[in-house]
Each structure stands twice: as structure tokens, then as C-alpha cells.
Amino acid sequence: MTKLDFLYGLRDALRALPREDIERYVEYYSEMIDDRVEDGMTESDAISELGSIEEIAARILGDTAPQPSAREVKEPKKEPKEEKRLTSAGTVLLIVLGFPLWFPLLVAAFSVLISLVAVLFSLVITLWAVEVSLWGCAIGGLVSGAVAFVIPNISAGLMLVGIALFCTGLSVFGFYGCKAATKGAAWLVAKAALAIKSIFVHREVA
Amino acid sequence: MDIQLKRGLLDICVLAAIKNEDSYGYKIIKDVKPYVDISESTLYPILRRLEAAELLTVRTAEHNGRLRKYYRITEAGKARIAAFKEEWQELLMIYGFITKEESDDKA
């Protein structure tokens, strides 16, 4: 039997295996024959020393028999990984090419968000300004009322003190209102920030 | 020799055959054969197993106008030999235990 006959027979006997594995075995046994010949053996002696093709094939198939299941488990794991890598490469390409489109959109979305936050906080600031002016009215009314009693202009003094008391009362209510509004605004902004962050974090994970 | 025992020893023997310099399949067989019986079909799965465990690396080089695979031991492979030497001490103790039982039986 020549080396070519042997390798052809081996290839045929191993045809149940994946192509890659067959090539490995053929290369291996081809190298073994060549090395024996180089060592001084004749080709047919080298081949007969390896044993019969049937024995070798039975042994290989016996060795690899438990593996196919392991290989089947492994391969599906590999494939999604490669797919994912491909899609992520495609995503990167899309992101790069779409830059002129998505960047202005992103900036616009961001500025809209910023302006919404600004509007919210200006409302809160306005409320506080009203509150502070109510305090001012209360204090100013009391002081000017006291002055009016001293002058004496009783009716003006009564009116001023009345307004001052009214403002004090309102400011007490107003204070709780302002506090609630500030808390509400802060909560809303924090919630929105979390929501936006979760969008980006989620995308990174996926 | 017991097949399981021989199998474990052969892995170490193959590593020992490439311990000092890179070697190729046929030379490994020639070096190991005087000590433990080894054939081509036995060597192949051992080489694949050792390569998968990263105890050796494989490179293909040209030799006399054809390709030949050379096997080189890794640091992990050297560590495996060192670990075997330590395991040997345990084996000797086990051997002592086994032979002690025998002498007790006789007595």
C-alpha cells in the first residue's frame, strides 16, 4: 500500500467527522509516514507499522465519539458571539456614518431637555419670589402700620396692619407650597435623569 | 500496566519528551517508546489534549520540502511536570501503604 492509498483510505474511513478534523488526522499520519521513511524505513513498512486503516479509524471514531455532543454544545455558543460582533461592528459603522444626522438631533433633544428643566426651575424660583415678597409685604406693612399709628392715622394704620397680617398668613401657606413645589421639581428632574441614563446604560448592555 | 494509570503517565512522558527542546510526533514516539508503550494513534489525542490545556503549543515548520508540526512546552506544561514530581511523593506513600498491607497479610 502506498502512502497515497493509505491516506485516501483513512480519509474515507473518517468521512463521518468534520472536514477540519479529517484534514488534521490526514496531515498527522502523513507526517508520521514521512518521518518513518526519513528514518530509513520503506514506505510500505512505515504504513504497515501504523496498523490497519480500520483499526486507526475505529480508534479515532471511538475517541471522538463522546465529543460531538460537546462540540454541538460549544458551537452554538460561539456563533451568537460572532454574530453579535458583526452586528456591533455594523452598529459602529452606522453610528459613524449617521453622525451628521444623529448629532444635531441629539443636541436638539438635549437642549429641549435643558430648557424644560430651566422652565421648571424658573417656575419654582418665581414661587419663591412671590413668597419672599409676601414676607416683605408683611414686615413692611407691620412697620408702616406702626408708623401710621404713631403719626396718628388710625384708619391707614389699621389697613396696613391688616394687609401685613393677611400677607403673613398667605406666606405661611405659601412657604409649604413653595417647599412642596421645589421638592416636586427636584424629584421630577432626578427621575428624568435616571430615565435617560437607563436608556443609555440599557443600550450599552444590549 | 493499568490503562488509567498509563494514560496519566503518558501525558507527563510526552511533556517530558519536549521539556528540553521542541520535538515532532515521530521523535516523541521514539523517545517515549522505550519507557511506555505508545503508538501514533495513542499520541494524537494526547497532543490535542495537551494543546487544549495549553500545556504545549504547536507550530508548523518546513522540513525537507514538507510540513512538520513541532511541539513546544509552555510554562504551564513545565509546571505540570513539577506538579507530577510532587504527586510522585504521595504515590510513594500510597505504594508504601499497599506493600505494608501485603506484608501484614503474609505475617
Side-chain angles (χ1 to χ4, degrees), chain A residues 120 124 178-189:
Chain A
L120 201 68
V124 170
C178 286
K179 221 173 130 182
T182 311
K183 266 189 183 169
W187 176 83
L188 210 65
V189 170

Side-chain angles (χ1 to χ4, degrees), chain A residues 156-175:
Chain A
L158 272 177
M159 187 190 77
L160 283 167
V161 170
I163 288 172
L165 288 176
F166 178 74
C167 286
T168 309
L170 255 186
S171 77
V172 169
F173 279 115
F175 178 74

Side-chain angles (χ1 to χ4, degrees), chain A residues 97-130:
Chain A
L97 288 179
F99 180 82
L101 187 68
W102 63 258
F103 189 69
L105 283 175
L106 189 75
V107 168
F110 194 68
S111 38
V112 165
L113 270 171
I114 292 278
S115 59
L116 278 177
V117 170
V119 165
L120 201 68
F121 275 99
S122 57
L123 272 175
V124 170
I125 288 167
T126 311
L127 279 174
W128 278 109
V130 169

Side-chain angles (χ1 to χ4, degrees), chain A residues 83-157:
Chain A
E83 239 172 60
K84 206 187 232 174
R85 218 177 281 154
L86 272 177
T87 48
S88 73
T91 313
V92 168
L93 191 73
L94 270 179
I95 288 171
V96 170
L97 288 179
F99 180 82
L101 187 68
W102 63 258
F103 189 69
L105 283 175
L106 189 75
V107 168
F110 194 68
S111 38
V112 165
L113 270 171
I114 292 278
S115 59
L116 278 177
V117 170
V119 165
L120 201 68
F121 275 99
S122 57
L123 272 175
V124 170
I125 288 167
T126 311
L127 279 174
W128 278 109
V130 169
E131 173 71 11
V132 168
S133 62
L134 280 175
W135 291 341
C137 273
I139 293 163
L142 277 177
V143 170
S144 50
V147 171
F149 277 117
V150 172
I151 284 174
N153 188 340
I154 305 296
S155 59

